[in-house]
Amino acid sequence: NLVIGTAGKGIDFSNQTATSVTGTTNGSELLDHYEEGTWTPVAGEGTLTVHSAHYVKIGSVVHIQMYGTYDSNSSANQQKITGLPFNVAGGNDYGSLAINSDADLGYNLVGQIDRSGPWVVFAKPNNNKATGADMSSHFVIFSGSYPTH
């Protein structure tokens, strides 16, 4: 059943019960929050010129998008992006990103939204993180989702 305008406000997907699907738990099924806007990404190393950065939050899931260019940087420290619009949920929850960049590192970057920051990191396939020098003078475009509180 789909009920709009319920007493709890929002959209209530009330048909599922704790036993309607074997092995599942029944969390809140009230879709009570929708928000969209812009956010302010910040480089962990050097400076990031942000061309666009948007988010959409639906319930407890946040979808982010960003396009930016790093300045010239020789740092050997891990490059990351802070300033996410919402905190990442606790526990073992992380998020992932689809990435496009002209950083020629000989392989594709893998994106992760790390709950400990929270921040975005770019990992190489050998699980080493991209450094400030790796991303120096390169653009990065990404989109991804992560769980929040």
Side-chain angles (χ1 to χ4, degrees), residues 17-97:
T17 65
T19 59
S20 67
V21 180
T22 305
T24 65
T25 57
N26 187 18
S28 172
E29 295 176 346
L30 183 64
L31 182 59
D32 61 353
H33 185 93
Y34 177 88
E35 182 178 335
E36 59 185 64
T38 59
W39 60 290
T40 306
V42 178
E45 300 296 319
T47 303
L48 176 68
T49 300
V50 178
H51 306 292
S52 71
H54 300 277
Y55 73 87
V56 175
K57 182 175 185 282
I58 302 173
S60 63
V61 176
V62 180
H63 180 78
I64 58 173
Q65 172 276 329
M66 194 220 68
Y67 166 41
T69 307
Y70 288 101
D71 69 344
S72 179
N73 191 311
S74 60
S75 172
N77 294 327
Q78 170 184 302
Q79 183 60 276
K80 56 190 168 190
I81 294 177
T82 62
L84 293 175
F86 298 93
N87 284 331
V88 179
N92 292 321
D93 295 326
Y94 292 87
S96 62
L97 304 167

Side-chain angles (χ1 to χ4, degrees), residues 75-141:
S75 172
N77 294 327
Q78 170 184 302
Q79 183 60 276
K80 56 190 168 190
I81 294 177
T82 62
L84 293 175
F86 298 93
N87 284 331
V88 179
N92 292 321
D93 295 326
Y94 292 87
S96 62
L97 304 167
I99 299 174
N100 183 16
S101 178
D102 65 343
D104 185 12
L105 304 177
Y107 36 75
N108 294 326
L109 294 173
V110 177
Q112 176 179 314
I113 300 170
D114 193 325
R115 64 183 165 81
S116 62
W119 50 57
V120 171
V121 294
F122 308 114
K124 302 171 188 178
N126 62 5
N127 205 30
N128 289 328
K129 305 298 188 268
T131 65
D134 289 334
M135 301 306 291
S136 177
S137 301
H138 295 293
F139 77 83
V140 64
I141 299 171

